RNA sequence: GGGGAGUUGGCAGAGCGGUCAAAUGCGGCGGACUGUAAAUCCGUUGGGGCAACCCACCUAGGUUCGAAUCCUAGACUCCCCA
């Protein structure tokens, strides 16, 4: 299937590695050639922030806009009340409406950095499917929409089938998710002329359902396009690292740590990540990704700078780089390191080093902090820490102190005032 | 409504009266080697506390010198039948 696309958007998707599958390459390509195409990606409001795993799709929307088309970011205010069962082994806990709204607010902040919203032809739209899902009347919905779905067929979708095969129960509530998502696509087509849904390849089944439904109800031919589910080249899921999710909101993950995440990419991923997560020219991505040995470290820094600039701005990227150079190349201290601020009352009676390590985020529990010390992994101002019972008083903290866990993780502790 | 199975550490999954904080694997963390890489090797890995020590195998009681393991009640999950 070596289709040669004529449209800019398809060309970018194919050459930069965003494309896993498409329902109709030629049809979509032609639609993109003949005018402004409106496309959407849906986001479930299951967390307070988007994370690196979402970034791929956000970049797709950004390219869509750059190539002259109109992106829609659809918040799943309604569908999140149901929960997407696709390829999940267990049911997610149901979220309450307040939580969902709060999550949507958190997620919206990020989109504005990548997309231009407004009323122009290719300005992005921010929508929430609660708008049409919340008010649905059950019987009407069953008669108008439900009649188009075959349970036999729904059961055959891989996303559902795998769950049933493993004898894991699937509640009726979750089973309805794909119908609601299909309905979203139909509504978006009706209201905004949206003709393309994009998503990760785990969304293939859901997307197909929307296309079928729209064909049956409106007799409209629309398209679906999926991106590969990314794993790092050592086989881990994208976006999980050091145990925690790589959030895109600055208040949940400091830009410095975001920068570090990219800086620590595996060699084999660098070229691919440059293509997917930055807008650098392809040749340059290939050249940088092909650097061998220690040289590729410079490419990793470029990658970190580019991605951080998009997400947090050029200043944040520069600050992160400066701190990283200071800390790793000179063994010093940078302003951008994660910092724990203590009030003077807190240190009045002294504070244990174990507490400091935990509160600075270098260990998850006191036990872990002690273990770190016992394993000679902890340092204070670069001096090895040997005494887990060490107490620090106000004098010891009169100037900021650098704590380190292992070679890579550092934090500052200072007393306010 | 009836019958059965289950609930163990971040996850998977052993254990079925003492030697169990609990095998093993994954994941995590630290170290060596390097390039803030990968692979490999070594170590470590429930929680609270400065400590002594305390809490811990769904919850609440109980039996025992002694319980993750036995009994009773409850909560939740799954399967089969109606």
């Amino acid at each position: 299937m070596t289709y040669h696309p004529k449209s800019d958007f398809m060309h970018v998707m194919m050459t930069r590695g965003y494309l896993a599958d498409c329902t109709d390459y030629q049809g979509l390509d032609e639609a993109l050639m003949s005018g402004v195409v409106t496309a959407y990606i849906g986001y479930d409001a299951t967390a307070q922030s988007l994370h690196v795993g979402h970034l791929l799709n956000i970049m797709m929307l950004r390219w869509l806009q750059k190539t002259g088309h109109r992106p829609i970011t659809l918040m799943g205010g309604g569908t999140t009340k149901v929960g997407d069962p696709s390829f999940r082994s267990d049911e997610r806990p149901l979220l309450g409406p307040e939580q969902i709204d709060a999550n949507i607010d958190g997620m919206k902040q990020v989109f504005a950095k990548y997309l231009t919203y407004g009323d122009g032809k290719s300005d992005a739209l921010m929508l929430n499917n609660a708008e049409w899902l919340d008010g649905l009347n059950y019987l009407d919905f069953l008669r108008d929409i439900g009649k188009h779905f075959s349970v036999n067929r729904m059961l055959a979708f891989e996303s559902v089938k795998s769950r049933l095969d493993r004898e894991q129960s699937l509640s009726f509530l979750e089973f309805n998710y794909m119908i609601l998502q299909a309905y979203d696509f139909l509504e978006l087509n009706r209201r905004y002329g949206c003709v393309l849904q994009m998503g990760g390849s785990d969304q293939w089944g859901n997307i197909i359902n929307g296309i079928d439904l729209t064909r049956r109800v409106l007799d409209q031919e629309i398209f679906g396009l999926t991106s590969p589910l990314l794993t790092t080249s050592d086989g881990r899921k994208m976006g999980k690292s050091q145990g925690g999710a790589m959030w895109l909101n600055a208040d949940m993950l400091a830009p410095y740590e975001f920068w570090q995440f990219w800086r620590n990419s595996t060699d084999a991923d660098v070229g691919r990540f440059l293509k997917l997560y930055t807008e650098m020219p392809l040749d340059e991505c290939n050249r940088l990704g092909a650097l061998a040995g220690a040289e590729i470290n410079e490419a990793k820094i470029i990658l970190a700078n580019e991605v951080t600039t998009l997400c947090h701005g050029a200043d944040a990227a520069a600050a992160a780089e400066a701190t990283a150079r200071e800390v790793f190349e000179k063994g010093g201290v940078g302003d951008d390191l994660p910092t724990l601020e203590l009030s003077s009352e807190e240190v009045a009676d002294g504070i244990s080093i174990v507490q400091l390590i935990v509160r600075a985020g270098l260990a998850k529990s006191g036990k872990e902090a002690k273990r770190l010390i016992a394993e000679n992994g902890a340092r204070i101002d670069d001096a090895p820490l040997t005494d887990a019972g060490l107490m620090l008083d106000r004098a010891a903290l009169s100037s900021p102190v650098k704590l380190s866990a292992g070679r890579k993780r550092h934090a500052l502790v200072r007393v306010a005032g």
Side-chain angles (χ1 to χ4, degrees), chain A residues 239-254:
Chain A
K240 300 274 176 176
S241 171
Q242 293 150 20
M246 289 294 122
W247 303 112
L248 302 185
N249 284 12
D251 54 359
M252 292 187 65
L253 183 77

Side-chain angles (χ1 to χ4, degrees), chain A residues 217-239:
Chain A
V217 175
L218 300 178
D219 197 25
Q220 279 279 319
E221 205 52 54
I222 58 179
F223 308 98
L225 181 157
T226 58
S227 58
L229 276 199
L230 270 209
T231 52
T232 55
S233 40
D234 41 327
R236 287 192 261 276
K237 226 182 217 157
M238 187 67 202

